[in-house]
Amino acid sequence: MICKTQDDINGMLLAGKLTAEALKYAESLIKPNISTLELDKLIEKYIIDRGAKPSFLHYEGYPASICASVNSYVVHGIPSKDVILKEGDIISIDVGVIINGYNGDAARTFPVGKISPDKERLIRVTKECFFEGIKNLAVGKKLGELSFAIQNHAESNGYSVVRELVGHGIGHNMHEAPEVPNYGLKTSGVRVKEGMCLAVEPMINMGERYVYVAEDGWGIITRDGKPSAHYENTVIVTSNGVLITTLQNEDFCI
């Protein structure tokens, strides 16, 4: 576990700001008949044009700059010219940005045109899970209090929590200690310290929690074929609260 200095935090704030801007740009592109590969190339150019690098590109062999996960894909969907968005789809865009040696990481699930009320509710509750979690993230608390709150909110709304993937620490490296599960007991996990930087990322399924790995070795897909949603932000724990670095135009503590 790496607790950050003020200089580190300043670097993380810039990386987070660019990540948030890249996601906002991604949202503006999403429409029926665009391919996920086209999204990838446009967002990659957007990041590079701002003097940053897409941190996902070639990370552990990953072949793209974003993860584009449609409908039953939970995460790590590889962009493809053959995946064309259509009205009623939902797509999770996960973006990583690195600048001056610091990483930002965030994800959102977006509607493609008009979507069903069931999908709208899944997206909304997944976002709520994130905020319910960080209400329970504070110096001196166990990290499990965040994990429990996320799981409780998801399951009380009739959804399930993916357990094979978790959030993580972040800083000079995209993945650092500690792991940040979206499920678990209040008494589990490390004790939270000032200066911890975390990527908190609920992955919530409309159906059962079980998933499998796609043939490409990257994509994670719901076993029952039902939709999944993803909501992630990079956050910094301070003595005054939790600073969310990857919410555009929002510089505040919760």
Side-chain angles (χ1 to χ4, degrees):
M1 176 171 48
I2 304 170
C3 294
K4 306 302 189 283
T5 66
Q6 188 58 53
D7 285 345
D8 292 329
I9 289 171
N10 292 339
M12 296 293 291
L13 288 171
L14 175 59
K17 177 176 184 292
L18 292 176
T19 304
E21 290 170 353
L23 269 179
K24 197 69 178 174
Y25 176 62
E27 183 178 20
S28 74
L29 299 172
I30 292 169
K31 59 185 179 182
N33 301 317
I34 191 170
S35 75
T36 55
L37 182 62
E38 186 175 356
L39 289 174
D40 178 69
K41 295 307 178 187
L42 289 168
I43 296 165
E44 178 182 288
K45 183 177 186 301
Y46 183 93
I47 293 168
I48 292 170
D49 286 350
R50 278 147 187 81
K53 295 180 181 179
S55 53
F56 294 178
L57 186 60
H58 307 311
Y59 182 80
E60 295 186 352
Y62 187 75
S65 294
I66 66 169
C67 297
S69 306
V70 180
N71 294 330
S72 62
Y73 270 69
V74 180
V75 287
H76 303 163
I78 297 175
S80 168
K81 64 180 177 58
D82 299 321
V83 179
I84 310 295
L85 298 184
K86 63 182 186 299
E87 185 92 10
D89 285 341
I90 59 174
I91 180 170
S92 299
I93 301 290
D94 196 348
V95 175
V97 167
I98 186 166
I99 186 165
N100 300 332
Y102 293 97
N103 283 271
D105 188 8
R108 304 284 186 271
T109 300
F110 299 114
V112 182
K114 184 174 177 56
I115 62 173
S116 69
D118 284 351
K119 287 181 176 177
E120 287 180 348
R121 182 173 182 271
L122 175 66
I123 292 172
R124 174 177 59 79
V125 172
T126 301
K127 179 178 179 179
E128 290 170 359
C129 284
F130 169 84
F131 287 100
E132 289 299 315
I134 62 169
K135 285 178 186 176
N136 294 275
L137 180 65
V139 174
K141 286 191 171 187
K142 282 293 193 82
L143 195 55
E145 294 194 43
L146 172 146
S147 304
F148 176 86
I150 291 172
Q151 180 182 5
N152 183 63
H153 191 69
E155 292 179 352
S156 67
N157 279 279
Y159 300 130
S160 63
V161 177
V162 174
R163 303 194 181 200
E164 288 78 5
L165 303 116
V166 297
H168 50 90
I170 186 169
H172 286 297
N173 300 302
M174 185 160 56
H175 292 100
E176 298 180 353
E179 290 191 342
V180 186
N182 297 306
Y183 64 93
L185 300 174
K186 289 182 179 181
T187 54
S188 64
V190 300
R191 199 162 296 281
V192 177
K193 295 182 179 180
E194 183 175 357
M196 287 176 64
C197 293
L198 306 171
V200 179
E201 50 178 323
M203 290 160 272
I204 308 300
N205 293 348
M206 186 179 290
E208 296 181 345
R209 70 175 181 86
Y210 303 105
V211 298
Y212 69 96
V213 181
E215 289 183 2
D216 60 27
W218 282 101
I220 304 295
I221 309 170
T222 60
R223 194 180 297 174
D224 60 13
K226 292 184 178 180
S228 184
H230 186 196
Y231 188 89
E232 176 185 19
N233 283 302
T234 298
V235 306
I236 302 171
V237 180
T238 77
S239 58
N240 297 316
V242 178
L243 181 62
I244 305 172
T245 73
T246 48
L247 281 179
Q248 192 178 40
N249 300 324
E250 306 241 14
D251 183 10
F252 63 91
C253 287
I254 286 186

